Amino acid sequence: MTNPESPTFSPEATAEHLRGLQDSVNLIDSLIAAGVKDADTTDTMDRNVRHIGIMCAMDHLKNCGEDLTPFTDAAHRGAAWLAGA
């Protein structure tokens, strides 16, 4: 059941949101691969991990028929990197 107060997004907007999520995945993976952990990379990682969490919780993405697992997996990798694992 969807939240009646949730905004309605067009298929084009949903596709754009999915592309944005993929951009966050790519950035998270590139930051991990770079092996640099400073204030700027930590801030960037944190913002992208939060972005994925917020977006994947949105009804229109949860119900769009796409597998969101690659996005949430990347958020978990980023969170582990932030935690120092």
Side-chain angles (χ1 to χ4, degrees):
M1 182 170 179
T2 60
N3 180 345
E5 296 179 16
S6 294
T8 301
F9 293 92
S10 69
E12 295 80 15
T14 298
E16 182 65 27
H17 291 160
L18 291 167
R19 284 190 294 275
L21 284 167
Q22 186 59 54
D23 289 344
S24 286
V25 169
N26 295 341
L27 186 54
I28 286 169
D29 289 340
S30 69
L31 291 173
I32 291 170
V36 176
K37 198 168 195 179
D38 59 21
D40 288 336
T41 57
T42 299
D43 180 60
T44 300
M45 181 69 78
D46 180 62
R47 283 185 286 114
N48 281 273
V49 167
R50 286 186 290 119
H51 171 251
I52 290 173
I54 290 166
M55 295 303 290
C56 286
M58 296 181 79
D59 286 342
H60 76 288
L61 290 176
K62 288 191 300 190
N63 300 317
C64 73
E66 293 291 324
D67 180 11
L68 302 180
T69 304
F71 307 124
T72 57
D73 286 351
H76 290 300
R77 288 191 301 276
W81 183 89
L82 287 166

